[in-house]
Amino acid sequence: MANPDPHSKPRPRRLRRILVQAFLIFWVAVLLDGYFTHLPLKDLGRRAPGEVVGILHVHTRVSHDGGGTLEGAIQAARNADLDFITITEHNIAFDPSRLDHLPSDVTILPGEEVSTPNGHFVVLGVHPGWRDASPHPTEELLQRAGQAGGIRIISHPFNGAPRWNYWNTAAFDGMEIWNDDAQWRRSGGQLLVTALMYPLNPELALTRLASRPDPNLAKWDELLRTRHVVGTCGSDAHEAIMVDHELLWHFPKYVNVFRISRQHVLLVSATEPTKPAPRTPEAILDALRKGHSYCAVDSLASASGFQETVTSGAATAGIGDPAPFDPKSPPRLRILLPPTPSKPQIKIFKDGKEWQSSSDQTFEKEIAEPGVYRTEVWLRQPGLTGWNQWTPWIIANPIYVEAQK
């Protein structure tokens, strides 16, 4: 019988060594990518007249799972060149007195994230006292929020705890088609890249998590076939990692999150381009309610200045607007993109199905029939660990081309 080789190593130990070496090589590659890949964060773009940029769905330590402060959120918004943020604590309406003695250069929109037996919804524009503390059925809460003048937006419908399961109602105004916290939950293996890269290049690390929220967009398209529904991108920023209800880490930082996906709101109507509304909380909320906004992953490239219109005869409709359809004089859809660091991909959807696509900076096409027309624009992820993947850059609210009765 042959004697075992005293110099041979057990296979488990050799396998562990190979795995450790592979992980170290991967880690070095991630760090090199984070060091050499630079996002265009300092390129703020050129905002259109009446365009403001902000963040929806922000929590502070007033929420049971928040770790940041209101002062910190405002300073982060200032550093990220934002015009507004929306404070939506869990089941606590924003108290305007919290703004006493704080700078007023960043507009604060009041709101609340409401917990129901059927999931969560954010209501924007309400103040303390809009409801009592007693438990109520979901429909009643939605109705009361609407009666109080609030904008009701279904939160993280497919990634919450619990997920939203009360769709058989018309008592809401919109839904989150994008939620940053949900991006974490559905990121898969890319989360490892984010964890390793974050200390060196936090914005690039968070941008790596961006991917198309297919279930959200499919549900949105389904709803849009029945009525106008506003699509929003919710940051859901907490600046907190909680363990056993204790704050473990202020992560990810507000300022890093606020530079990724953002809400671009248009305070000027396409029908009256020379009459922008004043930059007030009321004007921003009104524009959000009308769907005059689009979501953008601004860390890939500044989306400021994005334009989409439908011209029908003498009438012009913009994002979120209805446009009349006249078969004798078919309307035309026009899209103009701001500058991009790489070739974009424009996808236009009609009634939820891809209708047209283009890789140009501008797009123009005659519309042959009524429908709900919405646009997505994609860019490739930069750098090594972006794997050259196409990533949603802009997701705009639709233009409703409607047959005249």
Side-chain angles (χ1 to χ4, degrees):
M1 178 181 296
N3 293 325
D5 183 357
H7 298 291
S8 66
K9 296 182 179 180
R11 286 189 175 182
R13 184 181 300 176
R14 182 179 300 170
L15 179 60
R16 284 196 299 270
R17 186 179 67 182
I18 293 173
L19 292 175
V20 169
Q21 290 174 342
F23 176 76
L24 291 176
I25 292 172
F26 177 71
W27 193 355
V28 170
V30 170
L31 293 179
L32 289 174
D33 186 37
Y35 182 78
F36 287 106
T37 303
H38 303 288
L39 295 171
L41 300 176
K42 294 183 179 180
D43 181 8
L44 304 178
R46 177 178 292 182
R47 294 179 184 173
E51 177 184 351
V52 293
V53 182
I55 295 288
L56 303 181
H57 197 160
V58 177
H59 297 274
T60 72
R61 63 180 56 171
V62 171
S63 292
H64 67 276
D65 55 355
T69 64
L70 178 60
E71 295 86 346
I74 292 174
Q75 182 59 49
R78 187 180 297 113
N79 293 342
D81 195 47
L82 295 178
D83 300 300
F84 71 90
I85 56 174
T86 303
I87 305 299
T88 52
E89 311 289 11
H90 287 290
N91 301 307
I92 302 173
F94 181 78
D95 186 350
S97 67
R98 293 177 63 188
L99 295 174
D100 292 347
H101 311 298
L102 291 179
S104 58
D105 56 325
V106 176
T107 300
I108 307 299
L109 304 183
E112 178 181 342
E113 183 173 5
V114 182
S115 300
T116 81
N118 302 99
H120 296 180
F121 71 91
V122 163
V123 55
L124 306 180
V126 296
H127 298 279
W130 73 272
R131 64 163 175 146
D132 57 45
S134 304
H136 296 280
T138 301
E139 181 68 24
E140 186 175 338
L141 287 169
L142 288 168
Q143 294 286 354
R144 289 194 179 194
Q147 292 164 4
I151 306 171
R152 302 153 296 181
I153 300 170
I154 307 304
S155 306
H156 41 71
F158 298 103
N159 296 90
R163 297 182 178 184
W164 186 262
N165 58 15
Y166 186 65
W167 295 106
N168 190 26
T169 180
F172 63 91
D173 306 289
M175 63 173 286
E176 286 183 346
I177 55 174
W178 183 285
N179 180 282
D180 283 342
D181 188 64
Q183 292 286 323
W184 283 85
R185 299 173 188 267
R186 57 190 296 275
S187 59
Q190 199 69 1
L191 187 60
L192 177 60
V193 173
T194 296
L196 296 175
M197 187 186 290
Y198 185 86
L200 179 64
N201 192 335
E203 285 83 9
L204 181 61
L206 295 175
T207 302
R208 291 289 187 247
L209 299 176
S211 63
R212 189 178 193 269
D214 292 331
N216 302 51
L217 294 176
K219 187 64 181 182
W220 191 33
D221 286 329
E222 177 188 329
L223 294 169
L224 288 172
R225 285 193 285 270
T226 63
R227 64 187 182 94
H228 293 205
V229 178
V230 176
T232 66
C233 45
S235 174
D236 210 355
H238 290 72
E239 198 173 276
I241 296 292
M242 310 293 289
V243 176
D244 293 331
H245 305 289
E246 295 291 333
L247 178 63
L248 178 66
W249 188 14
H250 288 278
F251 172 86
K253 293 287 188 178
Y254 285 139
V255 68
N256 304 138
V257 174
F258 289 178
R259 289 179 174 138
I260 313 302
S261 60
R262 310 177 338 160
Q263 194 84 28
H264 292 245
V265 181
L266 308 175
L267 303 182
V268 56
S269 170
T271 59
E272 296 182 297
T274 61
K275 297 181 179 179
R279 198 183 78 174
T280 63
E282 294 75 21
I284 297 173
L285 288 168
D286 183 62
L288 284 168
R289 185 189 299 276
K290 293 175 179 175
H292 294 168
S293 66
Y294 57 92
C295 299
V297 182
D298 279 327
S299 54
L300 289 173
S302 173
S304 291
F306 169 73
Q307 296 178 30
E308 181 176 9
T309 57
V310 167
T311 302
S312 180
T316 299
I319 296 170
D321 289 333
F325 178 78
D326 182 357
K328 296 179 180 179
S329 179
R332 296 190 69 83
L333 172 67
R334 185 173 187 271
I335 295 170
L336 176 62
L337 300 184
T340 55
S342 60
K343 187 175 286 293
Q345 187 176 56
I346 301 174
K347 296 183 179 182
I348 301 102
F349 294 81
K350 174 188 175 293
D351 298 330
K353 296 182 179 180
E354 188 171 334
W355 173 62
Q356 297 286 332
S357 64
S358 172
S359 58
D360 297 326
Q361 294 294 127
T362 61
F363 173 87
E364 189 165 352
K365 181 76 175 179
E366 185 178 280
I367 293 175
E369 57 184 352
V372 179
Y373 292 83
R374 68 172 189 83
T375 297
E376 298 178 20
V377 186
W378 296 51
L379 291 175
R380 290 192 183 275
Q381 284 265 359
L384 176 64
T385 59
W387 320 120
N388 206 33
Q389 289 183 343
W390 285 107
T391 302
W393 173 41
I394 295 172
I395 305 177
N397 271 286
I399 298 177
Y400 304 87
V401 180
E402 300 173 344
Q404 300 303 290
K405 297 179 180 179

